[in-house]
């Protein structure tokens, strides 16, 4: 179901085509993250409903509410996962809680029959999808129905927190990609005009002194037509590196202001 659309516009088709990569990044990162947070809220509601169904046992209620408190009060998601895992390990007398994300992690498989008994399956399995694997300290441990119900509810909570951590990582990566697209030239990797305008505005607002030098390469367009854009970009990048290496008493930074113009900013001069 479509719940939103991205629209990118420009004065002509070339501008739109040149920003197609940005549109693709927005669709495949920000949209996914936004939808994931919708799923996260839905999963939280499912966990809360499971908490209400436990109902009868006061100790189980305290355990689930304790996990909620850790989730809400931890300074970051990784700390929350660490503390929740520690609490569950101690409560259920587990040796470890393992999150399997690939087919390299293997373990014994179990099945739940119609009477509610958990029976071991002789063959081993490999993880075809992301799962949580709990390992008990005692090999012959028997799990009661109450313990399985509590563990199911806590697993929903822990899975939600792990999922949230993945989404935060995706969000950070997408923000870095978008910032890279916004402030750096694709061909040379140099700071672009937007970066210059941002830095220049910051310098002016802080009332700092400085200077800006413009260097124009008069035949760069001809070189691009004869040898290609990559060759011309390499020349521009090499010139920028040469300028940065020149000894100077002030701090300098080189920007690609346009296709054939470099801006050199000098601070405190």
């Amino acid at each position: 179901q479509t719940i939103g659309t991205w629209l990118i516009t420009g004065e002509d088709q070339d501008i739109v085509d040149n920003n197609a990569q940005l549109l693709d990044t927005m669709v495949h990162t920000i949209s996914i993250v936004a939808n994931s947070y919708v799923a996260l809220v839905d999963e939280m509601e499912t966990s809360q409903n499971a908490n209400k169904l436990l109902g009868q046992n006061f100790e189980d209620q305290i355990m689930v509410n304790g996990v909620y408190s850790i989730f809400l009060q931890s300074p970051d998601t990784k700390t929350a996962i660490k503390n929740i895992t520690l609490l569950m390990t101690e409560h259920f007398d587990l040796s470890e809680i393992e999150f399997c994300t690939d087919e390299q992690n293997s373990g014994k498989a179990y099945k739940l029959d119609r009477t509610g008994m958990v029976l071991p399956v002789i063959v081993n399995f490999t993880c075809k999808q992301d799962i949580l694997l709990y390992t008990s300290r005692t090999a012959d441990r028997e799990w009661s129905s109450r313990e399985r119900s509590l563990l199911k509810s806590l697993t929903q909570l822990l899975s939600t927190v792990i999922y949230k951590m993945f989404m935060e990582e995706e969000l950070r990566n997408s923000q870095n990609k978008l910032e890279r697209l916004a402030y750096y030239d694709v061909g040379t990797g140099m700071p672009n005009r937007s970066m210059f305008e941002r830095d220049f505005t910051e310098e002016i607002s802080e009332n700092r002194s400085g200077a800006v030098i413009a260097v124009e390469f008069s035949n760069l367009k001809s070189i691009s037509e004869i040898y290609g854009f990559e060759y011309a970009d390499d020349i521009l990048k090499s010139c920028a590196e040469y300028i940065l290496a020149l000894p100077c008493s002030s701090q300098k930074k080189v920007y690609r202001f346009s296709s054939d113009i470099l801006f050199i900013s000098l601070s405190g001069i």
Side-chain angles (χ1 to χ4, degrees):
Q1 181 182 2
T2 302
I3 60 174
T5 57
W6 291 103
L7 180 65
I8 190 166
T9 63
E11 294 180 355
D12 53 51
Q13 186 66 39
D14 290 338
I15 294 177
V16 176
D17 292 341
N18 290 337
N19 289 277
Q21 184 179 4
L22 174 62
L23 179 62
D24 184 71
T25 302
M26 293 166 71
V27 169
H28 289 93
T29 56
I30 298 178
S31 299
I32 292 175
V33 171
N35 292 335
S36 298
Y37 274 107
V38 173
L40 173 63
V41 172
D42 182 64
E43 186 62 31
M44 287 289 292
E45 291 178 355
T46 302
S47 300
Q48 289 174 343
N49 292 334
N51 183 17
K52 294 176 183 177
L53 292 175
L54 288 173
Q56 303 298 325
N57 194 283
F58 187 66
E59 181 184 349
D60 293 350
Q61 289 283 354
I62 293 176
M63 179 67 178
V64 175
N65 290 330
V67 172
Y68 270 118
S69 298
I70 291 173
F71 178 42
L72 296 174
Q73 297 177 12
S74 295
D76 54 71
T77 309
K78 289 185 178 181
T79 302
I81 293 174
K82 176 183 176 182
N83 292 336
I84 292 173
T85 302
L86 180 62
L87 182 63
M88 292 178 63
T89 300
E90 293 178 350
H91 183 83
F92 291 104
D93 194 29
L94 303 173
S95 60
E96 65 177 342
I97 299 176
E98 187 177 5
F99 185 70
C100 301
T101 59
D102 55 56
E103 298 184 9
Q104 302 302 318
N105 298 299
S106 61
K108 292 181 179 179
Y110 294 82
K111 66 179 181 181
L112 186 67
D113 69 5
R114 295 183 178 181
T115 63
M117 295 293 293
V118 180
L119 303 175
V121 179
I122 297 176
V123 296
N124 287 349
F125 73 99
T126 54
C127 302
K128 299 296 184 182
Q129 58 184 354
D130 297 349
I131 66 168
L132 278 166
L133 183 64
Y134 301 103
T135 306
S136 176
R137 288 194 176 97
T138 56
D140 57 347
R141 174 173 179 172
E142 295 183 2
W143 292 79
S144 65
S145 298
R146 176 194 145 204
E147 286 177 324
R148 289 200 297 270
S149 297
L150 177 59
L151 191 62
K152 178 182 178 181
S153 299
L154 295 179
T155 299
Q156 289 178 325
L157 281 172
L158 184 56
S159 300
T160 301
V161 182
I162 293 174
Y163 194 61
K164 180 175 182 289
M165 181 185 68
F166 290 159
M167 291 305 99
E168 289 174 345
E169 187 66 29
E170 283 291 326
L171 181 59
R172 281 192 294 270
N173 292 337
S174 64
Q175 286 174 336
N176 292 335
K177 290 178 182 177
L178 289 173
E179 184 173 359
R180 191 78 190 171
L181 286 171
Y183 293 113
Y184 290 89
D185 177 62
V186 176
T188 61
M190 295 166 54
N192 61 12
R193 180 172 184 162
S194 298
M195 175 73 86
F196 169 77
E197 292 173 350
R198 188 187 73 173
D199 293 348
F200 186 75
T201 302
E202 182 180 347
E203 292 286 319
I204 293 296
S205 62
E206 294 292 335
N207 201 26
R208 298 171 185 162
S209 61
V212 177
I213 302 172
V215 180
E216 182 179 3
F217 295 81
S218 58
N219 61 340
L220 198 65
K221 292 181 180 178
S222 300
I223 293 175
S224 300
E225 293 173 357
I226 298 172
Y227 298 105
F229 288 106
E230 291 184 2
Y231 185 80
D233 286 345
D234 285 342
I235 291 178
L236 205 65
K237 186 176 180 180
S238 297
C239 292
E241 292 172 351
Y242 173 77
I243 293 170
L244 287 172
L246 290 173
C248 184
S249 59
S250 68
Q251 183 180 358
K252 60 179 176 293
K253 191 171 182 178
V254 180
Y255 306 83
R256 184 172 189 175
F257 193 77
S258 67
S259 59
D260 56 355
I261 295 177
L262 295 182
F263 267 23
I264 305 153
S265 66
L266 302 172
S267 301
I269 193 172

